[in-house]
Amino acid sequence: MKTVLHTANSRGNANHGWLNAYHSFSFASWFHPDRIQFGMLRVLNDDTIAAGMGFGTHPHDNMEIITIPLEGDLAHKDSMGNTSTIKSGDIQVMSAGTGIQHSEFNPNADQHTKLFQIWLFPKYRNVEPRYQQITLDPSLQKNNFDQILSPNPDDSGVWIHQDAWFYLSNFEADFIKKLSLKKEGNGFYIMTIEGKIEVNGQKLETRDALGIWETTAIEIKALSNAKFLIMEIPMEQ
């Protein structure tokens, strides 16, 4: 088993006023030679967007883009004709494929929006762009690994063009549960949203993250009431 620990305070930070962004991996003006990616996980941005502010129309291609709002709302518009608002408790994916343009704004005048934006390299290049958004059931996350993303359109959660599985969990203090890999050779990247957990003996606090690979399973113990995101990700294309 191999591990890499990314503590909350080791992340890159760019505070633009309207946007306060923490980068788990090198992004924009923040570059760290040892923090380029974890397997096929290229970006994990922890963004806070001020009321009424957001990202203007900009392009993407050949990337699987996942947005998980944690607080507040995000208004989305794209070149595929999708116009929607994603809220805390939703998950949104875009397969950028051959190319898309989109904008994202906080539509509220009196509340910030917090979200994770995650980019994965796709399994296949130049696919037809696609969009998907669903509302999650938070009751399924209690003391459970609630699958919110997979490579299978017929499976639970949203789907993407990559052999990845994501889970959201909300554990009560002292609860312990094991999770096995879906695909041999993949690794896990665990981000603590709030609270304290222990993953295979490694303690993590709020916004700490741990990458684990060359193993077949992980065991997570909640050291307090805790919410966290687990990403099973291919380590090689």
Side-chain angles (χ1 to χ4, degrees), residues 30-49:
W30 184 68
F31 176 78
H32 192 302
D34 298 325
R35 300 277 287 267
I36 305 298
Q37 63 194 85
F38 178 79
M40 294 298 100
L41 173 61
R42 174 62 188 87
V43 169
L44 172 49
N45 287 347
D46 182 0
D47 292 344
T48 300
I49 303 171

Side-chain angles (χ1 to χ4, degrees), residues 209-223:
L210 184 70
I212 301 179
W213 67 107
E214 295 187 7
T215 187
T216 59
I218 53 174
E219 180 179 89
I220 297 183
K221 177 181 180 180
L223 304 178

Side-chain angles (χ1 to χ4, degrees), residues 159-232:
W159 69 276
I160 62 170
H161 294 284
Q162 187 51 275
D163 294 327
W165 288 261
F166 286 13
Y167 307 87
L168 273 175
S169 298
N170 188 351
F171 278 16
E172 295 175 310
D174 298 322
F175 187 78
I176 303 173
K177 193 174 178 71
K178 290 184 177 181
L179 179 66
S180 297
L181 281 176
K182 291 280 192 179
K183 185 176 181 180
E184 184 179 358
N186 281 4
F188 290 109
Y189 194 83
I190 304 99
M191 167 65 82
T192 310
I193 299 172
E194 60 182 60
K196 299 178 181 180
I197 61 175
E198 186 176 278
V199 184
N200 287 20
Q202 174 65 58
K203 294 180 179 179
L204 303 177
E205 299 191 5
T206 298
R207 294 311 205 262
D208 289 346
L210 184 70
I212 301 179
W213 67 107
E214 295 187 7
T215 187
T216 59
I218 53 174
E219 180 179 89
I220 297 183
K221 177 181 180 180
L223 304 178
S224 69
N225 292 343
K227 296 180 181 179
F228 52 93
L229 171 67
I230 302 173
M231 294 172 275
E232 178 186 327

Side-chain angles (χ1 to χ4, degrees), residues 5-120:
L5 175 64
H6 294 156
T7 59
N9 62 8
S10 72
R11 299 177 296 171
N13 177 237
N15 192 340
H16 304 284
W18 68 272
L19 170 69
N20 189 15
Y22 286 89
H23 310 306
S24 293
F25 303 97
S26 294
F27 190 85
S29 61
W30 184 68
F31 176 78
H32 192 302
D34 298 325
R35 300 277 287 267
I36 305 298
Q37 63 194 85
F38 178 79
M40 294 298 100
L41 173 61
R42 174 62 188 87
V43 169
L44 172 49
N45 287 347
D46 182 0
D47 292 344
T48 300
I49 303 171
M53 304 301 289
F55 301 92
T57 302
H58 58 281
H60 294 282
D61 66 76
N62 287 309
M63 196 67 72
E64 300 294 305
I65 301 170
I66 301 103
T67 302
I68 303 175
L70 303 175
E71 296 179 22
D73 308 326
L74 192 69
H76 167 93
K77 186 175 182 179
D78 64 44
S79 55
M80 294 178 281
N82 298 297
T83 302
S84 63
T85 299
I86 53 174
K87 301 176 178 292
S88 176
D90 294 348
I91 180 172
Q92 174 207 71
V93 296
M94 289 189 299
S95 297
T98 54
I100 60 164
Q101 295 193 29
H102 76 132
S103 61
E104 301 164 298
F105 281 88
N106 177 356
N108 300 310
D110 58 352
Q111 181 185 7
H112 63 227
T113 296
K114 291 189 175 184
L115 58 91
F116 287 155
Q117 185 158 105
I118 302 162
W119 299 3
L120 268 66

